[in-house]
Amino acid sequence: MAKVKYYYDPKTLSYRKIEKGTAYRLQRTLLYLASATLMGLLFYVVADNFIDSPKEKRLRRELENMKIQYAIINERMGQLNSVLADLQERDDNIYRVIFEAEPIPETVREAGFGGANRYKKLEGFENSELIKETSKRLDKLTKQVYVQSKSFDEIVKMAEDKNKFLASIPAIQPVANKDLRRMASGYGWRIDPFTKARKMHYGMDFSAEIGTPIYATGDGIVKRADSRASGFGKHIRIDHGYGYTTVYAHLSEYNVRVGQKVKRGEIIGYIGNTGRSRGPHLHYEVRFGDERLNPVNFYYGELTPEEFSTIIDMASRSNQSFD
Ligand SMILES: [Zn+2]
């Protein structure tokens, strides 16, 4: 309540109320309103800047939590990166070396995503850098994992091819040869058992009694099983693919037909004495294209190093062949 002020009136010898004009009262009211508004504004500015509302407090907590989550994600991506780096290293330095394949170029592994700025929509916020960098890292990681997984697909394919190749090429002896006693004559210049003249012997002879099983020395397809080749008598030819064929001659009996698929170690026929042969034996040849190779180099599938050196030694004796 406004104070009532008085003044002394000497004419009436009494105190009289000071009456204020309308203008004065309006001025006072306006002043009051202005200061109240100013105070309110001041309070609002202070409160807005220094005091959080409950909603702001909640949002701030959420933001803090989000930053922590981003930090955790970044740390986990770091761990994934090191696992991936290990896989990449093994891929280039072990797996691809085994299959004689080129390592994946760094440029392919490190290639980013092309095109316009993929991260534009992430810009313009207080935490833009954090979110942008995390997105970039995640994209890069995704790309590298993709490249790596493609590479492993290729390696699986190469391993399958290699397996097929290893199963196909001749790698064992065509007869059971414990103690290597059946190895009768090797590849090279030998004395012809009929003419007694020196002659090139293009295969290896294994002597054994008639009816002894003969094995396919690698996976393949039977191309011939007949006695129409001069001197070989009943003979079998197997095509192993990759340029390799094997020949088994002087058989007594066939155990396969032309066109049949055979596996390494499968019985294809039996030892005999047909064709130009001096006594029951198997004449065995390994061919690569038109070239006739020394079969002794194709027994690595079953021999110990000692046995291998023994058979090399025996096969190199310049004795008489069985032909
Ligand atoms: Zn021979």
Side-chain angles (χ1 to χ4, degrees), residues 117-269:
N117 189 355
R118 295 164 54 84
Y119 309 101
K120 199 147 192 82
K121 62 177 184 292
L122 301 176
E123 282 168 3
F125 300 97
E126 203 177 319
N127 291 295
S128 280
E129 271 315 298
L130 174 66
I131 296 171
K132 233 168 85 178
E133 283 313 308
T134 310
S135 292
K136 274 186 192 168
R137 257 183 107 179
L138 188 61
D139 281 353
K140 200 173 162 193
L141 195 61
T142 307
K143 170 88 193 285
Q144 286 179 324
V145 167
Y146 178 75
V147 169
Q148 192 52 55
S149 113
K150 279 278 162 204
S151 168
F152 281 150
D153 285 351
E154 253 177 65
I155 282 173
V156 166
K157 174 101 187 28
M158 285 190 275
E160 281 169 357
D161 290 350
K162 193 93 169 182
N163 264 345
K164 189 166 179 286
F165 173 74
L166 289 176
S168 298
I169 54 166
I172 61 169
Q173 297 178 83
V175 292
N177 193 13
K178 208 171 181 314
D179 306 330
L180 310 173
R181 267 185 242 144
R182 283 174 164 162
M183 219 295 298
S185 184
Y187 175 99
W189 288 95
R190 295 291 182 277
I191 295 156
D192 186 296
F194 295 96
T195 65
K196 305 293 177 192
R198 274 169 63 78
K199 198 184 82 174
M200 185 62 192
H201 185 230
Y202 288 104
M204 196 172 243
D205 294 340
F206 294 88
S207 68
E209 50 274 29
I210 289 178
T212 303
I214 298 166
Y215 308 111
T217 55
D219 294 2
I221 295 167
V222 177
K223 285 285 161 190
R224 287 183 69 167
D226 60 67
S227 52
R228 293 191 304 274
S230 81
F232 279 163
K234 287 185 177 177
H235 86 299
I236 291 171
R237 287 180 204 211
I238 297 175
D239 183 353
H240 301 281
Y242 307 97
Y244 289 95
T245 48
T246 48
V247 177
Y248 312 77
H250 314 299
L251 276 52
S252 60
E253 263 184 88
Y254 305 113
N255 198 43
V256 287
R257 288 183 316 277
V258 171
Q260 191 176 326
K261 275 190 183 176
V262 290
K263 289 271 170 200
R264 177 180 294 144
E266 206 173 308
I267 297 175
I268 53 170

Side-chain angles (χ1 to χ4, degrees), residues 83-133:
V83 171
L84 185 63
D86 183 49
L87 287 178
Q88 289 170 339
E89 197 176 304
R90 276 196 247 172
D91 185 20
D92 285 341
N93 296 318
I94 302 174
Y95 307 137
R96 287 186 170 261
V97 168
I98 290 173
F99 300 113
E100 289 155 27
E102 289 293 313
I104 292 185
E106 196 74 0
T107 49
V108 173
R109 286 203 191 280
E110 292 294 319
F113 292 88
N117 189 355
R118 295 164 54 84
Y119 309 101
K120 199 147 192 82
K121 62 177 184 292
L122 301 176
E123 282 168 3
F125 300 97
E126 203 177 319
N127 291 295
S128 280
E129 271 315 298
L130 174 66
I131 296 171
K132 233 168 85 178
E133 283 313 308

Side-chain angles (χ1 to χ4, degrees), residues 183 190 296 307-318:
M183 219 295 298
R190 295 291 182 277
V296 82
E307 287 171 326
F308 190 66
S309 96
T310 308
I311 204 166
I312 292 249
D313 184 43
M314 288 167 73
S316 61
R317 283 178 207 154
S318 45

Side-chain angles (χ1 to χ4, degrees), residues 201 203-205 250 281-284 321-323:
H201 185 230
M204 196 172 243
D205 294 340
H250 314 299
H281 83 286
L282 169 71
H283 172 87
Y284 173 63
S321 69
F322 282 66
D323 239 33

